[in-house]
Amino acid sequence: MSETLSGFPEWLPEQELVQQRVIALVKANFELHGFTPLHTRALEPVSELLDQGETDKEIYGVHRLAAAADEKTKESKLGLHYDLTVPFARYVGEHRHELRFPFRRYQVQPAWRGERPQLGRYREFIQADADVITDGPLDVRFDVEMVRLLRETLDKLPVPRVRLMVNNRKVLEGFYRGLGIEEIAPTLRTLDKLAKIGPGAVKEQLVAQGRTPEQADKCLALAGIEMRSGADAEKVRALGVTHPLLDEGLAELSRVLDEVAAVGSPGSVVGALHIARGLDYYTGTVVEGVFEEHPNLGAVCSGGRYDNLAGDGKRPLPGIGVSIGITRLLAYCFHLGLLKQERKTPVHVVVAVHSEEDRARSEAAARRLRARGIPTLVSDSSAAYGKQIKAASALGVPYMFFPSAGEKPDEMRDLRSGAQAQVDLETWIGEGTELVIR
Amino acid sequence: MSETLSGFPEWLPEQELVQQRVIALVKANFELHGFTPLHTRALEPVSELLDQGETDKEIYGVHRLAAAADEKTKESKLGLHYDLTVPFARYVGEHRHELRFPFRRYQVQPAWRGERPQLGRYREFIQADADVITDGPLDVRFDVEMVRLLRETLDKLPVPRVRLMVNNRKVLEGFYRGLGIEEIAPTLRTLDKLAKIGPGAVKEQLVAQGRTPEQADKCLALAGIEMRSGADAEKVRALGVTHPLLDEGLAELSRVLDEVAAVGSPGSVVGALHIARGLDYYTGTVVEGVFEEHPNLGAVCSGGRYDNLAGDGKRPLPGIGVSIGITRLLAYCFHLGLLKQERKTPVHVVVAVHSEEDRARSEAAARRLRARGIPTLVSDSSAAYGKQIKAASALGVPYMFFPSAGEKPDEMRDLRSGAQAQVDLETWIGEGTELVIR
């Protein structure tokens, strides 16, 4: 990884091959579950980005450098999207008459946020999102579907095991209202800092905001609860707070936990009542995942339900989505020394070149291999074979082919073992040529 | 396609499936030829973007909306890249000690240019680039390799036949110098407008720039030449202009034409001496492709050799690359009514839901199909089967599965033919489930 521009990471070829593999696995699993690919523009009107509650300091404005002054004013209203949910919701709103609902799409694209860069937090980062949006009530079974999808997708990736934590904004809001707290958003934001600043500081801030010490303690008690299944909703009720919205939220949360557990590994998804998620637009289920062994690194995936993002006021288009932070996931793994692999190229075979006069013969052999779908490169050098072998090995290429010369037949060398044998190019099959990620 | 923001096209799901297919075919062919994937950040210092000769009016500047005034000055030096060659060359320069040369990479990403939008010219567009850069002299065989790669990649796409036109900047510069013209860049730029404004206007402009009418006529005569093979270099020599650089350029151009023809279909690549390409950084081979049947639509691919883009002055890192304009290619095809396909989802099978009580059984069937790698969706509705069939057909899904109920066995219905038969989910294989692009 390098960051010659702070916050804008770029991978080396051997790392990018891992990123491509991870993205391919994510896309394949999203398609397996019936999500269709989509690509939206990088730019959105700043007003729409701000509407969704993102603080403006994180948004990158965009304008043509040589735009006339009056044009500039107009154009300065464009900004780079900071996630893929807002553009998707805007797209669905625009195309509501051309799409069929429920509409499931996935999207793998960069997003931009002008935050202070640090490990895992970047100003440009690739996200892989899957969302379903519909044009009517969105049953809780969609929440179940999306959390399952996220769980299964993560389980298919060559990354450390992810602890998936689910909560429901209605539980939090209902609980707060049941306590007599009406200032929901600031209370949520303060509780969201729990992992970072600790319970003492959270309580202090809540009290400073006008909550009573008793209210603050109850909020902290709720945040401390972990639900292994729907039955653990009792732990919340034991706190003695009641509110219709709390009941609704607990019912939804319990159903998600129980139904995901029914087809997943036990304990693979837990109810974690401190999870709030930063984005303002969430209204129900929220989800977040961290590496089980490295919980303090931060979330590598997230998601949630939003009721009012795509609609036009008259007819709502509620949705729920999940998002895998590809760049962050990879940055953590590379940082931890995981996801190593040796290949610096997708090439399976390098064809040796005996001499520049013989290059055409090597190119012909490469064409035969490529015709069989085998990624092949002709050696750039016609130096001694030993040097050509060394160069191909340095790129992690598994095989080198030596075209017949005079009496000598066509031979293939396994560059890993050094074994070399006569082969027929039309039938030869390589072994272990796929990327191996450790 | 829709453009709610002028110049920023977005595709409908059925079109995006085509785009994904086209990109997958391009990537597969680039990898088949030994090019490794890379992804670079979207932002570059504006100074580097301008260095490469792009006029500043086309560059989008980027800044954090809430940056402090002093920060803003610093940050306003960032802009969105307008192609993938400049970021790649910058990347190679930065990583020259970590890469092995010749270094071949491909990249599929958006780029941004603040041009006046029209059919095929967008402010945000996806490009698929392949380049090779090395740390020493770059033999003309790399020019041959890259033009071949472009030809073969285009031939694998489900798009109209592309006419690939090659030229060499040395031919143009050598010819102009042989005529006594020293103002190469303005002469190139004027000749580049030939297709747009016609020979009369070009001559007028050349004369206005200080060229003699005789010089202008010769330039136009050169631009009118088409070379079917290296032997046609005689047509250029017949114009009676001589210069060492012209000889060098003609030798390179002849070699590219002859060696590409040797492995391609005849006439698949022509020497077209009016091709100059807009970007200032090209120094040798330049290439451009248009739909044979629709030449006036504009270039759908391009490329060229650049000698001074990646190096640090002390040690040059010359390169040559080709670029396929994915967005433009698709926009033209959709505009012409080509590249049609019916599917609005990658789903092969929708599992019918008998009633909401039976949904879990349908979900279990979907899991079995997915375990076999078959993209499957469970019907969102438990309405009458006829309605479920209609909804799946509207998405272009080829099959619907009906889980066994009571006495009835598992059945699969081909939604295209209406044929329905008993099946075993563990062994069933669908037919014609892949995307068919007409």
Side-chain angles (χ1 to χ4, degrees), chain A residues 340-357:
Chain A
K340 279 185 193 160
Q341 67 87 23
E342 308 294 331
R343 300 269 289 274
K344 296 179 198 299
T345 165
V347 168
H348 292 187
V349 180
V350 169
V351 179
V353 175
H354 186 258
S355 68
E356 285 307 318
E357 291 71 48

Side-chain angles (χ1 to χ4, degrees), chain A residues 312-329:
Chain A
D312 56 4
K314 272 174 282 182
R315 234 181 132 191
L317 290 170
I320 172 164
V322 293
S323 176
I324 298 176
I326 300 289
T327 303
R328 178 181 279 194
L329 193 75

Side-chain angles (χ1 to χ4, degrees), chain A residues 191-363:
Chain A
L191 262 305
D192 202 36
K193 297 185 217 164
L194 184 56
K196 210 182 288 174
I197 64 177
V202 165
K203 182 172 179 181
E204 217 168 273
Q205 291 192 14
L206 286 174
V207 172
Q209 286 162 21
R211 311 290 82 75
T212 67
E214 293 70 29
Q215 286 174 329
D217 285 336
K218 287 275 192 190
C219 290
L220 283 164
L222 180 73
I225 289 176
E226 183 177 300
M227 289 172 65
R228 309 297 296 184
S229 73
D232 283 345
E234 281 314 308
K235 293 185 189 174
V236 178
R237 302 198 195 282
L239 296 178
V241 178
T242 56
H243 192 275
L245 196 59
L246 173 60
D247 291 341
E248 198 181 318
L250 279 176
E252 291 181 8
L253 179 56
S254 298
R255 184 168 162 198
V256 169
L257 288 175
D258 290 344
E259 293 196 18
V260 173
V263 295
S265 41
S268 62
V269 176
V270 298
L273 277 68
H274 69 283
I275 299 292
R277 296 301 307 155
L279 291 165
D280 284 353
Y281 52 65
Y282 290 133
T283 51
T285 295
V286 284
V287 59
E288 181 175 311
V290 296
F291 286 155
E292 269 182 6
E293 312 259 310
H294 310 278
N296 296 326
L297 277 180
V300 294
C301 61
S302 62
R305 172 188 276 253
Y306 43 92
D307 284 334
N308 310 309
L309 211 43
D312 56 4
K314 272 174 282 182
R315 234 181 132 191
L317 290 170
I320 172 164
V322 293
S323 176
I324 298 176
I326 300 289
T327 303
R328 178 181 279 194
L329 193 75
L330 292 169
Y332 287 160
C333 286
F334 293 148
H335 175 73
L336 295 168
L338 306 168
L339 291 194
K340 279 185 193 160
Q341 67 87 23
E342 308 294 331
R343 300 269 289 274
K344 296 179 198 299
T345 165
V347 168
H348 292 187
V349 180
V350 169
V351 179
V353 175
H354 186 258
S355 68
E356 285 307 318
E357 291 71 48
D358 292 318
R359 181 170 288 280
R361 198 149 46 92
S362 297
E363 284 175 354

